[in-house]
Amino acid sequence: MIVVRLSEPLSTFILYTAMLEVMEAALERIGALLALAPLPQRAPAAMPDRHDIRFEAVSFTHARAGAPTIRAFSALLPEHSLTALVGPSGCGKTTLTRLLLRHFDPQEGAVQIGGIDLRQIPAERLNDLISVVFQDVYLFNDTVLANIRMGRPTRPRPRCGRRRRRRNALNSSSGCRRAGRRPGRDRRQAFGRRASAHLDRAGAAQGCADRRSG
C-alpha cells in the first residue's frame, strides 16, 4: 500500500522534471535568438511604390555549409502575378523565401521590392509588405472567426447577410485537436489571419478615396 501511494507522486515528479528540462532548453534557444544583433539598415530609408520582386545576382552560403545554397540567382517576379518555385529538396526554395523576408542578407547581390533594396526598407515596414503562410499551420483551439481575427483582434465581425451557413462556418471549431482537419483549409485560415490587417487598411483607403470622389 505504501509503495502504491509513493509511486504516483514520484511519477508526477519525474514528469515535471522532464518538462522543466524542455522548458530550460527552449529558454536557452530564445535567449540566443534575442542576443543576435539586428541586421544593419542602409541609408536612406525608403519605401517602394510598386511591388514587383527582383533577385539580382543573389548568392548565399549557409554557415558551416560546404557550398553555396544559391549562386548568382536572378529573377523578376512581377506584381499582381503568381510565381511558383519548384525544385528538389535542398535546392534553395526556402532560402530564397527567407532572403525575401530578410531573415538574413545575401553575401552577394541584392533583393529588391519595387526597385528598393530590402536593406533600405525599415524592418517593421517590410513585415507589412509580405504575408507568409507556412506549410505547418498552427490553429488555436477556437472558432474559425477567432483564428482569423488573431491578425487584428479589433477587426469587426464580417457581415454574413442572411446566410446562416456562413455564420455557422465562422463559429465552427478549428482547434488544433479537432479530428479530420484539412491542411488546405487550415492554410486558408492562416492566410486570412495574416492578411486581415492589410485588407482592412486597403479597404479603409479605398473607402476614403470613394468618399472623396463622391
Side-chain angles (χ1 to χ4, degrees):
M1 182 64 71
I2 296 176
V3 173
V4 173
R5 290 183 176 179
L6 288 176
S7 62
E8 184 176 350
L10 183 60
S11 61
T12 303
F13 174 76
I14 294 174
L15 176 63
Y16 284 151
T17 301
M19 291 176 60
L20 288 173
E21 290 178 353
V22 172
M23 293 171 60
E24 183 179 5
L27 288 173
E28 289 179 357
R29 292 195 297 270
I30 292 173
L33 179 62
L34 294 176
L36 293 175
L39 293 172
Q41 182 178 327
R42 287 185 178 178
M47 283 294 295
D49 55 8
R50 63 179 198 273
H51 300 95
D52 54 287
I53 297 170
R54 181 183 295 274
F55 293 89
E56 190 73 34
V58 170
S59 295
F60 181 81
T61 304
H62 287 280
R64 297 184 296 275
T69 305
I70 299 172
R71 189 194 304 270
F73 176 80
S74 296
L76 174 63
L77 284 59
E79 62 179 346
H80 308 302
S81 66
L82 178 65
T83 303
L85 299 177
V86 182
S89 178
C91 71
K93 301 184 298 295
T94 301
T95 300
L96 285 173
T97 304
R98 297 186 67 182
L99 286 168
L100 178 60
L101 294 168
R102 211 186 170 208
H103 289 175
F104 33 68
D105 289 332
Q107 284 94 11
E108 297 179 12
V111 184
Q112 302 173 351
I113 296 180
I116 305 297
D117 194 305
L118 296 188
R119 288 166 282 200
Q120 293 180 258
I121 303 175
E124 64 277 7
R125 302 300 300 276
L126 178 61
N127 291 333
D128 286 339
L129 293 174
I130 304 172
S131 296
V132 178
V133 177
F134 293 97
Q135 183 175 359
D136 296 324
V137 174
Y138 184 88
L139 295 178
F140 294 95
N141 192 18
D142 209 327
T143 64
V144 172
L145 179 62
N147 273 279
I148 291 175
R149 293 174 76 176
M150 284 297 300
R152 185 175 180 179
T154 58
R155 176 182 174 86
R157 184 184 181 90
R159 297 180 180 178
C160 298
R162 299 179 180 179
R163 300 189 62 179
R164 182 177 299 177
R165 185 175 63 180
R166 198 176 296 175
R167 290 197 298 269
N168 290 341
L170 289 172
N171 292 324
S172 64
S173 174
S174 60
C176 56
R177 297 182 181 179
R178 176 169 48 82
R181 288 174 57 198
R182 300 176 182 177
R185 182 170 56 187
D186 293 350
R187 295 189 190 111
R188 287 195 293 272
Q189 291 182 49
F191 177 78
R193 174 195 302 170
R194 183 67 179 94
S196 61
H198 303 302
L199 293 176
D200 277 356
R201 282 196 286 268
Q206 183 62 44
C208 292
D210 291 343
R211 286 194 294 271
R212 286 195 299 268
S213 63

